[in-house]
Every structure is written in C-alpha cells, then in structure tokens.
C-alpha cells in the first residue's frame, strides 16, 4: 500500500523518500529545517575560501562547470563569473537536443566562457540506452553516467582544480550522512544520487559494448580525483537554491523557457532542452512508483508556500496521466523500435505491489485521488 506525505503529495515509493512518524516526509522536514539551521553567511565565506584556493592552484581554467544550457547551469556560470572564476564549460550532448536547448546553450557560452560540447558515438549511445531501458527500465542511466564522467575526466586531463556542480539533490532528503551531504561530490554520492540505479559503466560492458566503447561513461574514483588535485563541489552547498530564483536571473541573461507549456511536470522552464530522454525517464516512474515529475514539482511548490496541498491535488487530477506520445514517438524513431515494443519493455517494470487490474484496467491501489481513471 502506498503511503503519501501529509504535507506534500509524494508517495513513499519514491526512491530515497521516507515518511516519518508524524506522517510528513524527510524531504519536507529537511526543507523546513533549511532556513533555520544553515548559516548562509558562513557558507558564503567558505565559498570565498574555496575560490581563493582554486585561484592559487590553477594554471589553465579555474573550474569546469558541467552545463546543459538550462536555467540552473546558466545561473551557475553567472555566479562563477561574478566571483572572478575562469570556467571551462562542458556539456554531454544529448541525442535528444532540440532547437531551444541549442539556443540556450549558445546563450550560455556567449556569457563569456570556453565550452566543449561532447558528443558520444551515436551508435554506442543508442545501443546502451536501449539496453538500460530493457534491463533497468531507465533511459537516463547513460545520460547520468556521461554527464558526471565527462567533466570529471576532463578536469583530471586538463589539470583543472575544481568541478563546480549545481544543487546537491541529496539535501532534499535531509539526514546527517556526511559522505553525501557535504560540499563534496563523492563516489558514494554518485552511487546513491547519481540516478544510475547504483550501476557504473563497468556494469554495462557486454559482448557488444566494450569498456573502451564506454570510455566516456567511466567515473574516475575518489582517489584518482584526489591524486590529480581535483575537488568536485556543489555550488548549492554554498548558496541557497530556488528554482524560481535561478530561472528569474537566467531569464534576465537571455535564457528562454518553453513557449507552449511544460514538456513534463509543472515548470515550463525546466527540462526544456531534451525531446525524449528526460520526459520518458520521468514517465516510467508512473509504472515503477505510481507518481510522475509533476508530483515532484508540485511538492516543491507546496513546501515553498506557493500552492496548498489541495490545489496541488486538483492540478494532478486535471492533468491526468500525461502519456508522453510525442516523446515516445521520437524515442522509437531514434532507437528503431515500434511503440508496442517500447510499451512491452516498459510493462516489465510495472510495480505489482502498487498496481492491480480492475475490469481490465490497471489501477493504483489506495491512490491519492479517489475515482481516478
Ligand atoms: Zn512531504
């Protein structure tokens, strides 16, 4: 049976989410603690110390900023430039990039940075993506392996002392595990929050894909980074992070949101650059966990006080189950499979602990919304 947080609308089926004794989830608890506990002035001083150290050490670029061209990466670049850093921006080029994604990325580069748009052999990427979907029900595993691996590898190769990531998504869930909640991105963090279901490139080696084919997906170890003098840090540890604020600032510097409503979820300024991977990645959560991207976004809005829980539920009701037909069509064309084949692959990941058949239809047991079809 699914339990829902009484404050937001997230279910306990969500990975890393826990509903505490008072019926409120760890993400909500962590949010309400955030403003009270964190001394942001002290964190800002820590950032200035970090930058000072980097400046003393660097001989090429000061830092690598992994960027997609989205609002968060635009904001990261602006903050780095404000602090006098000379960044090399690095992008894992998504095979699903659209014109708006390219435009926003071009805009980001025009803020005044060097940039590498890293393209993986499309044949390798396609085969690996279909394989991870078949085996793990996720299109996003190759993407997450690559977008973490490429900047870290390049930092080592180019002798760049800092890789500056954005928000630490582990912060959302609170707790006191130093190995994942500090300023540093570690291998332990990647295993738990890297969205690869704990797998690494080595796990996906097969007769068809050698470790050399998968070079761009290999994460350096903590020791390799340390030996090379590379620190991987979250900017979100030093500065408070609010999606509306990063959007506003990025927009003032040329970032453009979608003009025809959100692609997935509630925000028209998030997940804008990708035509199918991210949308399908979020949609499969419906089968696996009984919720979608919309639920994450709305829960954040509830925590921020911009929506009530009832209003959020009304929005879910109105939106319906969000079958992403366009994204699925595009993925099937790219992967050279049919829609029935795709659905058959997805069906394997339907979670039978929460889904049951009623009158020939799949329904979620004890769903948040009564009378949902
Ligand atoms: Zn909650």
């Amino acid at each position: 049976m699914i339990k829902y947080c009484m404050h937001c609308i997230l279910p306990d089926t969500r990975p890393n989410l826990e509903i505490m004794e008072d019926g409120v989830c760890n993400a909500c608890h962590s949010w309400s603690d955030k403003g009270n506990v964190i001394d942001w002035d002290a964190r800002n001083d820590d950032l200035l110390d970090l930058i000072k150290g980097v400046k003393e050490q660097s001989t090429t670029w000061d830092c690598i900023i992994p960027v997609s061209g989205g609002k968060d990466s635009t904001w990261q670049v602006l903050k780095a430039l404000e602090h006098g850093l000379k960044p090399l921006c690095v992008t894992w080029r998504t095979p699903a990039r659209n014109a708006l994604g390219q435009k926003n990325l071009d805009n980001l580069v025009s803020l005044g940075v060097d940039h590498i748009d890293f393209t993986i052999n499309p044949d390798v990427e396609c085969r690996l993506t279909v394989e991870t979907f078949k085996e793990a029900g996720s299109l996003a595993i190759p993407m997450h392996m690559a977008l973490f691996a490429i900047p870290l590898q390049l930092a080592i190769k180019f002798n760049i002392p800092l890789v500056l990531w954005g928000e630490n998504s582990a912060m959302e869930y609170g707790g006191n595990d130093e190995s994942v909640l500090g300023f540093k991105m570690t291998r332990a963090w990647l295993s738990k929050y890297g969205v690869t279901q704990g797998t690494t490139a080595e796990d996906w080696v097969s007769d068809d894909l050698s470790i050399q084919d998968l070079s761009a997906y290999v994460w350096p170890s903590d020791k390799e980074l340390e030996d090379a003098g590379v620190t991987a840090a979250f900017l979100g540890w030093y500065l408070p992070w609010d999606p509306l604020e990063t959007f506003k600032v990025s927009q003032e510097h040329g970032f453009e949101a979608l003009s025809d409503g959100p692609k997935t979820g509630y925000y028209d300024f998030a997940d804008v650059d990708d035509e199918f991977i991210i949308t399908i990645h979020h949609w499969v959560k419906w089968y696996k966990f009984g919720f979608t991207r919309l639920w994450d976004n709305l829960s954040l809005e509830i925590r921020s006080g911009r929506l009530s829980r009832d209003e959020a539920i009304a929005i879910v009701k109105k939106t319906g189950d969000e079958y992403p037909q366009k994204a699925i069509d595009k993925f099937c064309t790219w992967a050279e499979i049919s829609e029935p084949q795709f659905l058959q692959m997805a069906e394997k990941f339907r979670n039978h602990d929460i889904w049951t058949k009623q009158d020939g239809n799949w329904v979620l047991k004890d769903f948040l919304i009564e009378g949902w079809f």
Side-chain angles (χ1 to χ4, degrees):
M1 177 185 162
I2 310 180
K3 267 209 281 183
Y4 297 92
C5 171
M6 282 165 53
H7 182 64
C8 67
I9 57 171
L10 290 179
D12 62 352
T13 48
R14 192 192 197 291
N16 298 316
L17 193 108
E18 216 182 304
I19 298 190
M20 318 303 262
E21 268 177 27
D22 60 359
V24 175
C25 74
N26 52 346
C28 284
H29 273 289
S30 166
W31 180 277
S32 59
D33 291 346
K34 215 154 67 172
N36 311 331
V37 178
I38 297 175
D39 179 351
W40 288 111
D41 288 340
R43 293 263 174 113
N44 193 54
D45 290 344
D46 291 344
L47 178 61
L48 299 181
D49 285 346
L50 175 78
I51 291 170
K52 192 164 166 269
V54 160
K55 281 279 177 195
E56 282 164 11
Q57 198 187 335
S58 66
T59 51
T60 56
W61 294 271
D62 296 321
C63 64
I64 285 190
I65 307 181
V67 299
S68 64
K71 66 175 188 352
D72 289 334
S73 46
T74 304
W75 189 77
Q76 276 160 256
V77 167
L78 289 166
K79 285 286 153 195
L81 292 174
E82 254 173 50
H83 283 86
L85 289 166
K86 202 168 273 300
L88 171 62
C89 293
V90 176
T91 302
W92 160 75
R93 188 186 170 90
T94 170
R97 183 177 296 164
N98 56 23
L100 183 58
Q102 185 64 50
K103 198 173 172 194
N104 281 326
L105 190 57
D106 291 342
N107 175 67
L108 178 151
V109 177
S110 77
L111 297 173
V113 294
D114 292 336
H115 178 241
I116 295 175
D117 203 8
F118 195 108
T119 308
I120 293 176
N121 176 347
D123 172 57
V124 167
E125 186 135 73
C126 185
R127 280 190 284 138
L128 179 62
T129 305
V130 172
E131 191 62 17
T132 60
F133 188 56
K134 257 194 214 157
E135 295 303 320
S138 172
L139 292 190
I141 289 177
M143 159 179 147
H144 285 93
M145 289 194 308
L147 67 85
F148 293 119
I150 296 164
L152 293 173
Q153 288 189 28
L154 290 178
I156 294 174
K157 301 271 189 306
F158 286 148
N159 210 3
I160 302 172
L162 177 67
V163 181
L164 203 51
W165 301 96
E167 198 182 10
N168 180 350
S169 51
M171 299 275 287
E172 206 180 324
Y173 308 104
N176 47 18
D177 185 349
E178 281 285 313
S179 69
V180 294
L181 286 176
F183 71 92
K184 238 188 198 181
M185 178 199 274
T186 58
R187 193 56 179 262
W189 186 94
L190 279 172
S191 299
K192 195 160 180 206
Y193 297 100
V195 200
T196 64
Q197 299 183 16
T199 67
T200 62
E202 289 80 357
D203 297 318
W204 296 99
V205 171
S206 63
D207 292 345
D208 296 329
L209 291 167
S210 70
I211 192 68
Q212 259 186 310
D213 289 332
L214 301 180
S215 293
Y217 299 102
V218 177
W219 294 339
S221 66
D222 289 344
K223 170 121 192 351
E224 284 171 281
L225 291 169
E226 206 185 305
D227 289 349
V230 174
T231 302
F234 294 103
L235 189 58
W237 194 84
Y238 300 99
L239 302 171
W241 206 281
D242 178 344
L244 285 184
E245 176 64 18
T246 61
F247 172 51
K248 200 181 116 231
V249 174
S250 302
Q251 205 179 25
E252 285 162 9
H253 291 84
F255 172 81
E256 277 180 43
L258 295 164
S259 54
D260 52 355
K263 207 160 235 117
T264 179
Y266 185 60
Y267 300 124
D268 60 5
F269 52 72
D271 309 318
V272 301
D273 60 331
D274 175 295
E275 286 295 294
F276 53 82
I277 292 182
I278 294 173
T279 302
I280 296 176
H281 167 64
H282 290 308
W283 173 76
V284 179
K285 292 177 182 172
W286 186 232
Y287 280 42
K288 288 179 167 179
F289 312 118
F291 78 102
T292 66
R293 182 63 157 174
L294 182 62
W295 298 57
D296 280 323
N297 294 161
L298 292 174
S299 293
L300 195 64
E301 290 299 295
I302 295 171
R303 282 176 217 133
S304 312
R306 290 187 285 256
L307 278 182
S308 73
R309 191 171 188 270
D310 287 344
E311 284 167 337
I313 291 173
I315 292 171
V316 174
K317 217 170 173 172
K318 201 173 138 230
T319 310
D321 83 342
E322 302 181 277
Y323 184 74
Q325 184 68 55
K326 268 195 215 156
I328 289 169
D329 290 346
K330 282 178 181 158
F331 171 66
C332 290
T333 304
W334 180 70
E336 298 179 346
I337 59 172
S338 66
E339 190 173 345
Q341 278 174 316
F342 167 84
L343 287 173
Q344 208 180 355
M345 287 181 203
E347 196 56 49
K348 190 177 144 195
F349 296 95
R350 191 187 291 277
N351 179 348
H352 291 259
D353 291 338
I354 58 172
W355 287 95
T356 182
K357 267 225 163 140
Q358 247 173 40
D359 308 325
N361 292 318
W362 282 110
V363 295
L364 282 160
K365 296 178 223 173
D366 306 303
F367 191 55
L368 177 69
I369 298 165
E370 253 181 82
W372 172 276
F373 180 70

